[in-house]
């Protein structure tokens, strides 16, 4: 069963066929996923107030129904340290097609993973786990399972990654909280099952994992075309 707030967001997003990042992040936090602190600004005053409340450094991102892949249009700026840079960024992003606001988020650190779901014609909802960044693009290091996932599936997905070693801390890097990662996968599988009638695919890219938590840093929900 979908929560009313989630239904409202999905309904409103039908117009352009996908859920904008701030709305998608809202759904994920409603479902108990960890997300960075964020808010959306349209004016320099709003932007400065939000960034100070979150605490510099922050990330700024374009919010626009016309922009699905924000980095492709230089719509993401990480590590903003002061009002001046923030306001200059707002000025630039506000000229991008369909500008509906600038999302300002807390900077998060961690190992970048990807969690995704796709509604397969043959198998129904499929869940994907992969290493973020070049892990997915170059090495195609991913694990796939049919939803709903069992805890055993979640275990096997993690163990099946070629870069599995990175998760337990490699050459001095911090190990990842595997229990939090498993719980995130299970919760994600449940959310996809709840949404399978209306959703085509979901991408959490990246999810940043540390020794303490897994945080959904970017999320995109593509809706099914209306029949
Ligand atoms: P898109 O996938 O639409 O291009 P993202 O929101 O994923 O945009 O941002 C691009 C990259 O910027 C991410 O892969 C991540 O490396 C970095 N990034 C985005 N948001 C944050 C954040 N809150 N903290 C740290 N890094 C971030
Ligand atoms: Mg992304």
């Amino acid at each position: 069963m979908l929560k009313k707030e989630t239904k409202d967001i999905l309904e409103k997003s039908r117009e352009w066929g996908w859920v904008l990042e701030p709305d998608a992040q809202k759904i994920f936090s409603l479902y108990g996923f960890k997300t960075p602190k964020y808010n959306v600004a349209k004016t320099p005053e709003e932007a400065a107030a939000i960034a100070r409340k979150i605490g510099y450094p922050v990330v700024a991102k374009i919010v626009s129904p016309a922009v699905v892949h924000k980095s492709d249009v230089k719509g993401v700026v990480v590590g903003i340290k002061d009002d001046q840079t923030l306001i200059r960024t707002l000025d630039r992003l506000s000229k991008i097609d369909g500008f509906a606001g600038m999302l300002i988020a807390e900077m998060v650190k961690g190992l970048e993973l990807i969690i995704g779901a796709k509604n397969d014609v043959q198998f129904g909802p499929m869940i994907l786990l992969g290493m973020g960044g070049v892990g997915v693009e170059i090495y195609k290091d991913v694990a796939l399972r049919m939803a709903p996932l069992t805890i055993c599936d979640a275990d096997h997905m993690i163990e099946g990654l070629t870069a599995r070693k990175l998760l337990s801390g490699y050459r001095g890097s911090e190990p990842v909280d595997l229990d939090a990662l498993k719980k995130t996968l299970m919760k994600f599988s449940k959310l996809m099952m709840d949404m399978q009638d209306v959703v085509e695919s979901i991408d959490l890219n990246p999810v940043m994992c540390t020794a303490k938590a897994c945080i959904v840093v970017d999320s995109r929900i593509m809706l099914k075309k209306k029949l």
Side-chain angles (χ1 to χ4, degrees):
M1 262 294 286
L2 288 176
K3 297 185 163 100
K4 172 157 189 324
E5 253 180 300
T6 303
K7 273 192 188 154
D8 290 346
I9 291 176
L10 295 174
E11 195 51 45
K12 154 186 136 181
S13 309
R14 279 194 179 282
E15 199 184 327
W16 47 85
W18 61 284
V19 183
L20 294 168
E21 184 181 352
D23 292 334
Q25 289 293 65
K26 174 82 198 178
I27 292 178
F28 282 97
S29 65
L30 281 171
Y31 272 80
F33 290 79
K34 285 210 161 66
T35 58
K37 285 182 216 142
Y38 72 93
N39 210 332
V40 179
K42 285 191 179 155
T43 66
E45 295 74 27
E46 283 168 0
I50 291 167
R52 285 198 197 143
K53 192 157 179 221
I54 291 171
Y56 283 110
V58 294
V59 183
K61 311 189 203 183
I62 174 78
V63 180
S64 160
V67 178
V68 179
H69 299 285
K70 301 174 292 285
S71 301
D72 290 356
V73 298
K74 298 195 168 57
V76 179
V77 182
V78 297
I80 296 176
K81 294 192 185 71
D82 52 49
D83 285 6
Q84 203 193 354
T85 317
L86 185 75
I87 289 161
R88 226 186 312 125
T89 305
L90 174 65
D91 188 50
R92 185 172 63 76
L93 297 190
S94 63
K95 294 182 182 109
I96 293 176
D97 192 23
F99 174 82
M102 181 171 84
L103 182 144
I104 299 165
E106 180 187 1
M107 281 289 288
V108 175
K109 286 198 190 107
L111 185 69
E112 294 199 11
L113 299 177
I114 292 178
I115 298 179
K118 214 185 187 116
N119 237 325
D120 187 272
V121 230
Q122 203 172 354
F123 301 109
M126 299 286 299
I127 308 292
L128 173 150
L129 170 70
M131 299 302 295
V134 291
V136 151
E137 282 159 29
I138 299 176
Y139 303 116
K140 310 267 184 271
D141 188 11
V142 295
L144 270 171
R145 288 290 184 288
M146 269 198 276
L149 296 181
T150 63
I151 192 82
C152 242
D153 290 328
D155 249 335
H156 286 144
M157 288 176 87
I158 295 169
E159 296 308 324
L161 293 176
T162 310
R164 165 72 181 84
K165 267 191 189 164
L166 286 177
L167 301 174
S168 12
Y170 190 66
R171 299 208 169 153
S173 70
E174 204 184 39
V176 160
D177 183 345
L178 290 178
D179 197 46
L181 178 56
K182 266 176 236 171
K183 284 190 179 129
T184 305
L185 275 169
M186 298 302 285
K187 238 186 286 177
F188 182 73
S189 159
K190 173 160 188 329
L191 179 72
M192 184 58 187
M193 292 307 285
D194 281 0
M195 288 193 181
Q196 60 174 312
D197 292 339
V198 284
V199 160
E200 184 70 53
S201 65
I202 308 179
D203 283 295
L204 309 185
N205 183 9
V207 174
M208 291 209 188
C209 293
T210 67
K212 294 199 185 93
C214 288
I215 304 161
V216 178
V217 165
D218 178 29
S219 54
R220 187 157 35 232
I221 302 173
M222 308 300 292
L223 301 176
K224 279 187 181 171
K225 292 196 177 67
K226 228 177 184 169
L227 300 171

